[in-house]
Amino acid sequence: MATDDLTADTLVVWERRPYRVVEVREREQANWPKEYREAWVKQNMPDPATWYCRPRAIVLRSEEEPTAKPQHLQGPNNYYWHTLPEHYPLCRLCKEIPPCRHVHNERIMARATEKMEKEMALMPGVCHGCREPITKRQKHFTFPGPNLIRPDLGDNTAVFHTRKGCWDFLSSYDKRWAAAEEGRSRFFYCEGTETEHHDGSFECSKPDCAAKRVHKDLVQHAMWVRHHPRMREARGCWCLASQLF
């Protein structure tokens, strides 16, 4: 529920704990924080009274400590709140809405341990995507430099099948590899526009297209244009036909 829809007595979650809305107030434009004023100007200064992102003052009272001092918050009018019914579960130990921080952290640790165990099971010459050995007949690609998944395996050991089933793993590592060093470009991505002609030939708007260096069919482009009809029986190419007139 957005702040704009909050009403007094609504139960909401704030910092993983249950709170009841006491009041939602407008703020005078003269008292808007700097970041809100700048955002308002960037959006062509709409009516401050109805601007959906305007700052609002929200007063909350703890459900577990009703005598405690109310919390006075400030947030955008379009901020989304998680609401609660009158009957809600609560962690017995930390008094937080499930999943509490303890459970959340335990799940993160369990997933990290599981991931580490899978990564440590990788052996030299095994596809880092599907975890299957790469034979001499299978097409594959080896990333140069340190292995970002298993550094202990040494340089030039991060290898992936180039088949369709391993593409997602290959693409994900390609992004990680490029981000590991400032100024690096991805192997399997080109920021240019790829054009396909009727005869099946391709060209790219970037002279140094990545497809010239690695597996052409695996390189993704920022934009893709087909210069001929999709119908197989059609002849001619739109880009060439336009030159006749």
Side-chain angles (χ1 to χ4, degrees), residues 150-195:
R150 283 286 304 276
D152 57 302
L153 294 181
D155 291 351
N156 308 323
T157 56
V159 59
F160 295 81
H161 286 116
T162 55
R163 60 194 183 193
K164 185 177 180 181
C166 296
W167 161 246
D168 288 341
F169 301 110
L170 176 68
S171 178
S172 178
Y173 190 90
D174 189 35
K175 296 176 184 177
R176 184 176 174 182
W177 182 87
E181 186 175 307
E182 187 176 357
R184 266 185 180 175
S185 298
R186 292 176 55 187
F187 279 106
F188 297 93
Y189 180 80
C190 178
E191 295 180 352
T193 300
E194 181 187 55
T195 301

Side-chain angles (χ1 to χ4, degrees), residues 54-228:
R54 67 190 185 277
R56 305 285 296 277
I58 306 101
V59 182
L60 303 178
R61 185 186 70 244
S62 172
E63 275 291 281
E64 302 305 308
E65 301 177 13
T67 59
K69 184 178 179 180
Q71 297 288 340
H72 292 259
L73 309 177
Q74 176 179 269
N77 185 62
N78 60 342
Y79 179 81
Y80 183 84
W81 295 82
H82 291 283
T83 58
L84 296 170
E86 288 298 323
H87 298 276
Y88 54 85
L90 205 63
C91 176
R92 178 179 61 85
L93 296 177
C94 58
K95 307 302 180 183
E96 292 183 347
I97 301 295
C100 62
R101 288 185 179 90
H102 297 87
V103 173
H104 178 71
N105 293 337
E106 288 174 359
R107 290 178 180 176
I108 291 178
M109 292 299 297
R111 291 176 183 175
T113 301
E114 181 182 359
K115 180 181 179 181
M116 182 178 295
E117 290 176 350
K118 289 183 178 180
E119 291 179 349
M120 294 305 294
L122 286 172
M123 300 297 291
V126 169
C127 174
H128 286 27
C130 66
R131 264 66 173 178
E132 295 179 3
I134 296 178
T135 65
K136 294 182 179 179
R137 294 185 178 183
Q138 293 175 329
K139 294 182 179 181
H140 59 277
F141 182 81
T142 302
F143 285 86
N147 190 318
L148 302 180
I149 298 177
R150 283 286 304 276
D152 57 302
L153 294 181
D155 291 351
N156 308 323
T157 56
V159 59
F160 295 81
H161 286 116
T162 55
R163 60 194 183 193
K164 185 177 180 181
C166 296
W167 161 246
D168 288 341
F169 301 110
L170 176 68
S171 178
S172 178
Y173 190 90
D174 189 35
K175 296 176 184 177
R176 184 176 174 182
W177 182 87
E181 186 175 307
E182 187 176 357
R184 266 185 180 175
S185 298
R186 292 176 55 187
F187 279 106
F188 297 93
Y189 180 80
C190 178
E191 295 180 352
T193 300
E194 181 187 55
T195 301
E196 177 189 350
H197 296 286
H198 190 269
D199 60 1
S201 62
F202 293 84
E203 60 180 307
C204 180
S205 60
K206 288 182 66 69
D208 58 342
C209 177
K212 296 180 179 180
R213 303 190 302 271
V214 292
H215 304 270
K216 173 182 176 297
D217 295 339
L218 294 179
V219 175
Q220 294 182 323
H221 288 78
M223 293 189 65
W224 183 77
V225 178
R226 174 175 281 156
H227 272 195
H228 62 82

